[in-house]
Amino acid sequence: MTRPGTSDTAARPRVDGPRRGRVPRSGVPLPLLLPAVIGLAFLLLPLIALLARAPWRDLPHQLTSTEVWQALQLSLLSATAATAVSLVLGVPLAWLLARTDFPGRGLVRALVTLPLVLPPVVGGVALLLALGRNGIVGQWLDAWFGITLPFTTAGVVVAEAFVAMPFLVISVEGTLRAADPRYEEAATTLGASRFTAFRRVTLPLIAPGIAAGAVLAWARALGEFGATITFAGNFPGRTQTMPLAVYLALQNDPAAAIALSLVLLAVSISVLAGLRDRWMTAAS
């Protein structure tokens, strides 16, 4: 019996159902479980092989060599600079795609995301044709300002920003679309300009999305190979980043190539671990 004034619903204990998107273990069919396990093994096996063949005893010596430190320092510097360029140009571009309606917006979004699927080597060739000494824009940069981008450290930054910026734009645009635009509208009705509303209202709202996009862009820039070697070359101390050093060491010193690969692997795992909470929050 229940007390007077209480309902049967209030008296019954609350029973939480299974979490959304979860399937009980006993309900996983074998035709799905088997290929899932094979797919997991397919993805993990190369990483396990890399860890198993790593020269752990010689690892400190490999990582303290001059060539490795030059490549590591250049990679960190260029990836950070490319991320800064992506933030300055990519956040306004994401706002334009998310908050405004103009003819051809779908085509512009497709062009912005094109570097995600474009072969990096093709991207490097396109950069050469656009920004090279004889390129469409590069010839004027060289003639008017004496600026030459290919085969320089600045060229590394340009190549990495070209392939990394779409990751930031997609992340920020998705966050902008999820944010309530009524806050911006309320700010404008109170007399704030559109830019002030963006700076004082929108930016704090989308800060987590910007941070996640910046981390993804930084990690993508750090691992860029094809566009960098095509547009900037492979000159030690000037344009040789970590991926290029791995490629070069693999031909002459496989142990050094494995050591460099472990560094990039550690960075990638750190990035994924840092973004996991945001992905889980967005999925719940």
Side-chain angles (χ1 to χ4, degrees), residues 70-152:
Q70 286 181 345
L72 179 59
Q73 291 174 1
L74 180 60
S75 294
L76 296 177
L77 176 64
S78 59
T80 304
T83 303
V85 172
S86 299
L87 284 170
V88 172
L89 302 179
V91 173
L93 179 57
W95 183 89
L96 185 69
L97 294 175
R99 286 289 190 263
T100 61
D101 189 10
F102 56 90
R105 185 175 62 173
L107 177 61
V108 172
R109 182 181 292 109
L111 294 176
V112 168
T113 57
L114 185 61
L116 293 175
V117 298
L118 191 70
V121 175
V122 177
V125 173
L127 287 173
L128 278 175
L129 296 177
L131 302 175
R133 181 168 296 180
N134 296 320
I136 297 176
V137 178
Q139 60 180 337
W140 303 112
L141 291 177
D142 185 32
W144 293 350
F145 306 103
I147 297 176
T148 303
L149 291 176
F151 310 110
T152 62

Side-chain angles (χ1 to χ4, degrees), residues 11-191:
R12 286 195 295 267
R14 179 182 176 183
V15 179
D16 293 332
R19 293 185 61 183
R20 184 178 60 182
R22 297 294 181 87
V23 178
R25 294 182 181 179
S26 58
V28 179
L30 183 61
L32 294 179
L33 180 61
L34 184 60
V37 172
I38 295 175
L40 180 62
F42 172 74
L43 295 175
L44 293 182
L45 183 59
L47 304 180
I48 295 174
L50 180 63
L51 296 174
R53 294 296 182 90
W56 297 106
R57 293 183 179 180
D58 298 334
L59 193 60
H61 173 71
Q62 295 287 352
L63 295 180
T64 54
S65 64
T66 304
E67 294 79 6
V68 171
W69 275 107
Q70 286 181 345
L72 179 59
Q73 291 174 1
L74 180 60
S75 294
L76 296 177
L77 176 64
S78 59
T80 304
T83 303
V85 172
S86 299
L87 284 170
V88 172
L89 302 179
V91 173
L93 179 57
W95 183 89
L96 185 69
L97 294 175
R99 286 289 190 263
T100 61
D101 189 10
F102 56 90
R105 185 175 62 173
L107 177 61
V108 172
R109 182 181 292 109
L111 294 176
V112 168
T113 57
L114 185 61
L116 293 175
V117 298
L118 191 70
V121 175
V122 177
V125 173
L127 287 173
L128 278 175
L129 296 177
L131 302 175
R133 181 168 296 180
N134 296 320
I136 297 176
V137 178
Q139 60 180 337
W140 303 112
L141 291 177
D142 185 32
W144 293 350
F145 306 103
I147 297 176
T148 303
L149 291 176
F151 310 110
T152 62
T153 303
V156 176
V157 176
V158 170
E160 291 181 351
F162 177 76
V163 299
M165 190 185 300
F167 288 87
L168 184 135
V169 172
I170 289 177
S171 178
V172 176
E173 183 187 359
T175 306
L176 279 167
R177 291 185 177 277
D180 194 344
R182 289 178 295 180
Y183 294 107
E184 300 175 47
E185 296 172 359
T188 56
T189 56
L190 294 175

